[in-house]
Amino acid sequence: MSMKISTNMIKYLSLAIGILVMALSGSLFSFASFSTDLKARFGFSSSNINLLSAIGDTSMYVGFLIVGPIYDHYGERWTMITAAILTFLGYGGMYIAYAKAWGGLGFLMVLYCLAGVASTAGYLAALAANMANFPASTSGTVSGVLLAFFGLSATLFSQIKTHLFSGHDEVADPNSTLKGTKATQTFLLFLTIITTAIYLIGAVFMIKIKKPVIKTLDSGSSSNTTVNNSSDIEKKAAAAAAAATPTTTTVGSTPVQALSRSTTFTPSMKNGREGWNNSSTTLDKESVAPRTAHHLPGDAILESTAPALTGPNSNGGIITTTDASKTWFNPYLTSIDMKPRALLVESTFWFFVIAQVSQQGFSYINNVDSIVHAILDPLDPSTVTRAVSLTGLHVTLISIGNCLGRLASGILSDWVINRYRISRSIFFFISEILILIPLIIMGFSTDIVSMPLLVISSCLIGATYGATGALFASMTRDFFGDTYYGTNCGMVMVLNGFNPIIANQIYGVFYDRAAKKMGPTQESQPSENHMTCLGSACYDSGFKIASLLQIVCVVAAGLLFWAHMRKGRKLMQQMA
């Protein structure tokens, strides 16, 4: 009992630390709150700012290939130490560069890249360690809670910047040639200190609990996954055992255990196609009684061709259940621990990658400040003040939407996948469709987009982006398992690193082109900090292209859902 209490304390303490780490790991998403000062101090164009922002976003995705193997081989502690070192070098270097206006675009890109990889290291360590501490049936909720705070990170830092480091009351130094506020300089120092400190705390107190390894049925060899010992499953199993006799068949005198929702299969490759090795089927320690089936769409798809569940036991006998729909076995919660190279022949992997690469929204998130400036009246004396306030509002809306989207998608996907046996990728598909709405609003509005429509766009972009982010974490576990989770995340996300570069550069090119067409009289603004482009021409062309790319994403997400549902059906057939 004391050991169980101690384990639970470690598990929930690690979750609490993970939440804190996540709340700081999305600091790069607050870039819009200080990008104007960077532009002013270094004399950057909109394309320069978009390139710098894209490099930071890209490094977060490509960084998975660096920190993924570190996590897989050395664990969460060294991953968090890596995060602390890199964030200190990245944000600390940006603080020095901004203070001296030294280094230029190339140097800032290197520093921001370090900060991005640090963010990925903190993100991955907190996510992977805590998901491994909880059963697969709750992975959506766990990832949703963690990533909700990751989504709130932009709100946290943008509000800190707006209220504590706004620079509104600064008096310009007549002897200084530096533009931009000193408040942003202090804000970068704050980012350096707070992220480094929290990452070091995470390295000490966030722990991945080691679980006992169980034996396979056929050979007695160790499985490459661990037992789900959660108290929730144990209570359900005990209650079910007391209420009814398990629907298992005995061979000789040896009772056979029923397959559970934490069943694990080791993939095998046959003629270049994915398959499952039934001899490596892993069972829970306790026998599990049947539960009532829910005959809804997921069951209809599975049961259309699913025969009786069978599998070999250690004595050469067969495990049989006469009704597959009445077992606890769920093919969409079956952990398939796949080695990274095996992913390359998986249809689900490639559909997942294409959907991630073509997903749009970065250009909106990172340029909401320039969009706000473009739709305001430059002759209004309050434009500069309103622009700062509205930029903070929209960054906050995106961040809150991001948080709620991550939390809701995680909880709902867990409920649907457990109750109705439908792949959680259905929520990923729906989210990608919803992302199209704000892109179409921004790209195809006949006039300047109104402020209410801009609010709707910010909320939708935030919520859907948050949902897909949370679903990515749990879907990667559903598809490819826990053992190589860090590296597999990197393989899925690495090509996505080119997405923000392409999207932001497309936006920046059209924005700068529109600004040049306005001529010098239009570019003169009441304030040196005001953007140089006005009207819908600043952004609509970029979002038209983004809408077309998002259609590709929607198609890939639909194929991903179809492929995973089909794979679940094949898994049921393989059990025969």
Side-chain angles (χ1 to χ4, degrees), residues 54 58 61 355-363 465 494-505 549:
T58 299
Y61 295 103
Q356 293 284 353
V357 170
S358 55
Q359 178 176 290
Q360 298 301 297
F362 273 109
S363 55
Y465 234 80
V494 62
L495 292 179
N496 199 25
F498 296 101
N499 185 330
I501 291 180
I502 296 172
N504 283 357
Q505 283 303 294
L549 292 173

Side-chain angles (χ1 to χ4, degrees), residues 7-16 18 71 76 125-136 138-139 142 146 205-211 226-231 477 482:
T7 300
N8 284 334
M9 287 181 62
I10 293 173
K11 181 166 65 175
Y12 287 103
L13 175 62
S14 295
L15 180 60
Y71 175 82
E76 68 284 351
L127 181 65
N130 283 287
M131 285 184 67
N133 288 343
F134 290 87
T138 61
S139 62
V142 172
L146 288 167
F205 294 105
M206 193 172 65
I207 300 171
K208 177 182 176 181
I209 300 171
K210 294 182 179 180
K211 298 180 180 180
T226 56
V227 182
N228 179 349
N229 281 326
S230 73
S231 58
R477 183 184 187 183
D482 282 325

